[in-house]
Amino acid sequence: MPEFDKSKAYSQQEKVFFDDGREVELLHYVYGKDNLEEIRGSPEKVLAAIDEFGRTKKYLMNVGEDKGKIVELGGYIGYSCLLFGNAVRKAGGKRYYSLERNPEFGAVISSLADLAGLSDVVKVIIGSSDASLKRLHDNGTLKHIDLMFLDHYKPAYKTDLKLCEELKLISPGSVLAADNVISPGNPSYLEYVRASPQQKKEWTQQANGQGAPDVRFQDKTVQQYANRGESTALNASLGTPGLVYDSKLVHSFEPTGDPDGIEISRCTGEE
């Protein structure tokens, strides 16, 4: 188990830890920095300002520096977009898609990406993850996923993966990285990516076609977006049970220093 640098720890997570105005407060904090002109055009310095806010002002549910060595697809306030969008550009890539259901958070992402000079790389897609994935597939924008980081609504990890399988976006060579599989945990997703094709085929035959969150999730996880009146219904895709994954848990930390882990799964074939 790696050790966490306590000097980098964010403020502790409160009972209400997002969607309470802190995201816009972060924008004012970053844009109000005395060295704004030095920050402008530098993804690294924008990330440092976000981390400073998380350590000295209020907790932010970011991927954080410790997990930032792994590529992520995510949204919230754009930490992952800056971190990995910058990496995509340095590697010669052209586009980084961030799927975010909350339009206010999406606006924060776009604003910080613009400040970091990454607006030509980062593309924010607003809407539910399943609808956005299907739309990107149907309009020909997304034909294959090389790497996908899942860090959104926890009960949707497995169902969104199965949707991507069904749309043929996932195939041998695709890599998945799923955050928060220890805290708060994601038993249904881990069960799926670690299962054999035969096990998954049996589950598919038993499926009832209902897109409801797994009963093993804590109620606070299921109801995470209830204050906005958003539905907890999930897509009921059957996936491609014949796909084989080589899956491994990588232990890491939350930005607060609390233990967590990322499940790294590589699609290695199909039976």
Side-chain angles (χ1 to χ4, degrees):
M1 181 73 177
E3 293 186 3
F4 182 76
D5 183 349
K6 294 182 179 179
S7 68
K8 297 180 178 180
Y10 275 22
S11 301
Q12 285 299 306
Q13 185 183 107
E14 311 94 328
K15 186 175 182 180
V16 176
F17 57 90
F18 78 108
D19 202 11
D20 60 351
R22 71 184 63 200
E23 296 82 15
V24 175
E25 187 178 337
L26 168 67
L27 271 187
H28 286 290
Y29 179 83
V30 174
Y31 275 89
K33 298 285 287 182
D34 291 338
N35 63 334
L36 180 62
E37 291 309 310
E38 294 178 16
I39 293 174
R40 197 179 299 277
S42 171
E44 294 86 357
K45 290 181 179 179
V46 177
L47 286 168
I50 295 172
D51 283 329
E52 184 178 81
F53 179 93
R55 291 171 187 143
T56 64
K57 301 298 180 181
K58 294 180 180 178
Y59 170 84
L60 295 169
M61 55 177 187
N62 294 329
V63 64
E65 289 181 73
D66 196 69
K67 292 179 183 174
K69 298 172 185 176
I70 300 174
V71 177
E72 178 189 59
L73 296 179
Y76 189 44
I77 51 86
Y79 195 100
S80 56
C81 282
L82 304 183
L83 188 65
F84 302 119
N86 189 35
V88 166
R89 185 169 64 183
K90 287 181 177 179
K94 301 297 184 183
R95 184 65 73 185
Y96 179 94
Y97 291 98
S98 174
L99 278 58
E100 172 54 53
R101 68 190 292 167
N102 186 318
E104 294 172 0
F105 296 170
V108 173
I109 297 171
S110 296
S111 181
L112 291 175
D114 180 67
L115 177 63
L118 290 172
S119 56
D120 60 326
V121 176
V122 171
K123 175 67 174 176
V124 181
I125 307 295
I126 302 299
S128 65
S129 52
D130 53 352
S132 295
L133 284 165
K134 192 172 188 309
R135 184 169 63 255
L136 288 171
H137 168 267
D138 290 350
N139 65 22
T141 299
L142 194 59
K143 298 179 180 179
H144 179 263
I145 293 175
D146 294 309
L147 189 148
M148 180 168 67
F149 196 103
L150 299 95
D151 190 21
H152 57 321
Y153 182 52
K154 308 314 173 190
Y157 278 27
K158 184 179 78 170
T159 56
D160 281 350
L161 170 56
K162 291 171 75 174
L163 173 63
C164 289
E165 291 179 342
E166 194 171 277
L167 295 174
K168 307 299 182 185
L169 295 174
I170 301 295
S171 60
S174 296
V175 176
L176 313 169
D179 198 8
N180 305 132
V181 296
I182 292 178
S183 177
N186 208 312
S188 59
Y189 177 84
L190 293 180
E191 190 175 68
Y192 186 80
V193 294
R194 295 174 180 179
S196 68
Q198 182 58 40
Q199 286 176 304
K200 291 186 288 184
K201 288 174 183 177
E202 291 174 2
W203 294 336
T204 299
Q205 292 172 354
Q206 299 166 6
N208 59 13
Q210 300 298 313
D214 191 293
V215 296
R216 289 172 289 182
F217 283 108
Q218 295 182 17
D219 187 62
K220 67 177 182 179
T221 299
V222 174
Q223 300 298 329
Q224 188 170 3
Y225 300 101
N227 66 318
R228 287 182 169 267
E230 297 182 11
S231 172
T232 59
L234 304 170
N235 76 78
S237 298
L238 296 178
T240 305
L243 289 176
V244 180
Y245 293 100
D246 179 13
S247 204
K248 177 182 179 181
L249 175 64
V250 178
H251 290 279
S252 190
F253 298 95
E254 284 288 278
T256 57
D258 296 324
D260 197 5
I262 300 174
E263 185 81 358
I264 307 295
S265 308
R266 178 183 293 275
C267 183
T268 59
E270 183 173 358
E271 295 182 0

